[in-house]
Amino acid sequence: MLKVGIISDTHLGFAWGEERQEDSFRNLEQAFDEIIRHEADIVLLAGDIFHDRIPRQEILARAIELFSKCSVKFKSRPFCIKAVKDKQAHEVRQFTSPLIAIWGTHERRHVGATNPMHILEKAGLVTLLHAESVLLEINSDKLGIHGLSGIPEPQVRQALQTWEPEPFENSFNIMMLHQNFKEIMPPVDHALEFSDLPAGFDLFVLGHVHNTQIKKHPLSKTPILVVGSTVSTQSQKIESEIRKGAYIAEISRQSCELKFLPIKTRQLFYERVTVANQKPAEISMKIRDMIVKYANQSYDLKPIVRIKIDGVLAQNFSPADLDVAGLAREHVDRIILSIDKSNLVSEQLEQQSKLLEELKAKKLSIDQMGLEILQRYLTQAKQSFAAPSRSTALEDKVDIKKLETIFHLLADDELEKAEEAL
């Protein structure tokens, strides 16, 4: 039986210089240890191993140390007997690194440039694949690994078709990619679909998405493993609900069993606060109660508390009136607090947004939209006059039909005719 460890999206160097700078290294070391404890023969790394294209030297040094420490723990090295690149097969017959990797979107640089995964490859710590395939011999078993590193989205479908990898005969074949897929990501232009994955492979391994899940190819029913990340970089709600970790694939001639290996990570708590015409002081009180609830508990590592606020403030208040920085300072020694108020709006802004949405729904042209905005503005101006006599006076001055004529003439660049209409 073959045992293949699988890790992705470790984002080494994430939050460097901040309180969480050790998380990515600590979590990857745990993942390596779990895989080695399960006696894996090799480890696949599905991209975004580093957080930055050009990481600091301190981060590179830590990564080299960590990968070196992992490599020496393997009992034996896989024997590479064939490599395929540009559809040309070459007999290789040499021992290779037990760590097989592709790079992801965070490491990708322009053609000809060295990215951090290239440095690990040059140090002999990983075998790096980009539109390449290798056939490994491990004990008496053969394993084909096919890897396509991160590609810009507009080019990926063409790149996959050009690469056109073919499974090795009499072997278990795994394909690794690091891309967007429509079935597991919010809609993105040019994203691949599961049906774009070629036939004949026994397992697909996908990086890029940070939440682990297992899917199936719509036609071949081949398992599609979305590995997930080992560290929370986005603090999304789903990341507070799904554990981080690695996988081990136990492969026999008849089957492939995927086992999730959880690791111990910094806890993430996600809260959502919906505001409906409330004052900043009222919102602050509600958030402070939430914070105290988490701050009074005991944790191995200081937890992350993510609070997302959305809704409409009371009249005459703006989001700037809510002091989230002050709230964060109160419990800085107990929790790592992140408050997002990007979806919190003032009443006036909300009314403007609703107006634009209504106009868009009507599918009006630009000039029609402008005219309707102006008409609504004038109507509101009339209503704001307290004295009936003043309101009547304004109505007498504003001729909506005449205004419409002038507006359309201006939209058509008919300046002379617009002046005549005035």
Side-chain angles (χ1 to χ4, degrees), residues 41-200:
D41 298 294
I42 66 167
V43 179
L44 303 183
L45 298 151
D48 280 0
I49 306 308
F50 289 88
H51 190 65
D52 298 306
R53 291 178 175 84
I54 307 177
R56 298 168 63 100
Q57 290 185 345
E58 294 86 349
I59 295 167
L60 271 174
R62 291 284 300 279
I64 290 170
E65 180 183 23
L66 189 53
F67 274 71
S68 299
K69 186 178 175 181
C70 173
S71 289
V72 298
K73 292 182 179 179
F74 283 87
K75 295 178 181 178
S76 61
R77 286 180 169 260
F79 192 66
C80 183
I81 57 179
K82 185 181 288 187
V84 181
K85 185 174 178 64
D86 298 328
K87 300 183 181 179
Q88 299 295 314
H90 306 280
E91 298 295 328
V92 180
R93 310 204 64 79
Q94 64 182 27
F95 288 102
T96 190
S97 170
L99 307 177
I100 316 292
I102 59 175
W103 69 74
T105 51
H106 275 250
E107 295 125 342
R108 184 181 66 227
R109 297 186 67 202
H110 59 275
V111 175
T114 299
N115 71 46
M117 292 306 295
H118 285 126
I119 293 173
L120 295 186
E121 180 186 40
K122 291 177 187 297
L125 297 174
V126 301
T127 297
L128 191 60
L129 304 178
H130 179 46
E132 296 170 83
S133 304
V134 290
L135 179 60
L136 307 178
E137 191 172 73
I138 303 171
N139 301 321
S140 59
D141 296 306
K142 291 181 180 177
L143 179 66
I145 308 295
H146 312 257
L148 181 68
S149 290
I151 295 283
E153 298 300 335
Q155 304 167 21
V156 65
R157 187 170 275 102
Q158 181 59 48
L160 187 58
Q161 293 170 353
T162 302
W163 177 30
E164 202 176 17
E166 293 185 4
F168 295 107
E169 294 182 358
N170 303 315
S171 307
F172 190 93
N173 288 271
I174 302 175
M175 178 184 285
M176 274 198 298
L177 299 96
H178 190 101
Q179 300 295 154
N180 284 314
F181 279 81
K182 289 182 179 178
E183 291 88 345
I184 52 175
M185 289 286 285
V188 179
D189 289 342
H190 311 292
L192 292 171
E193 298 180 32
F194 286 161
S195 58
D196 292 315
L197 295 170

Side-chain angles (χ1 to χ4, degrees), residues 7-12 24 45-50 104-106 177-178 206-210 227-233 244:
I7 303 173
S8 187
D9 292 82
T10 59
H11 288 270
L12 296 179
S24 61
L45 298 151
D48 280 0
I49 306 308
F50 289 88
T105 51
H106 275 250
L177 299 96
H178 190 101
L206 306 184
H208 195 51
V209 176
H210 282 201
V227 188
S229 67
T230 56
V231 65
S232 175
T233 62
K244 301 293 186 185

Side-chain angles (χ1 to χ4, degrees), residues 6 31 41 52 79 92 107 111 153 225 239 273 281 299 309 369 385 413:
I6 307 170
D41 298 294
D52 298 306
F79 192 66
V92 180
E107 295 125 342
V111 175
E153 298 300 335
L225 172 62
E239 288 191 290
V273 176
Y299 310 93
I309 310 169
M369 196 177 292
F385 282 95
D413 236 7

Side-chain angles (χ1 to χ4, degrees), residues 306-353:
R306 171 79 163 171
I307 300 176
K308 190 171 180 64
I309 310 169
D310 54 24
V312 185
L313 285 162
Q315 193 171 9
N316 300 322
F317 289 99
S318 75
D321 297 320
L322 180 63
D323 180 20
V324 296
L327 290 168
R329 283 193 298 269
E330 291 179 23
H331 297 280
V332 69
D333 59 328
R334 302 285 295 166
I335 62 175
I336 300 172
L337 183 63
S338 169
I339 300 179
D340 178 7
K341 59 175 184 177
S342 59
N343 289 334
L344 181 65
V345 297
S346 64
E347 186 181 44
Q348 182 182 2
L349 184 59
E350 175 70 2
Q351 290 173 349
Q352 291 171 354
S353 297

Side-chain angles (χ1 to χ4, degrees), residues 366-401:
I366 296 299
D367 57 326
Q368 288 173 317
M369 196 177 292
L371 179 61
E372 186 154 344
I373 290 171
L374 187 56
Q375 287 175 346
R376 289 200 189 193
Y377 176 78
L378 288 170
T379 301
Q380 289 172 2
K382 291 180 200 176
Q383 293 171 350
S384 67
F385 282 95
S389 60
R390 293 188 66 183
S391 177
T392 304
L394 181 63
E395 283 182 356
D396 291 341
K397 290 181 181 179
V398 178
D399 184 335
I400 296 297
K401 288 185 178 180

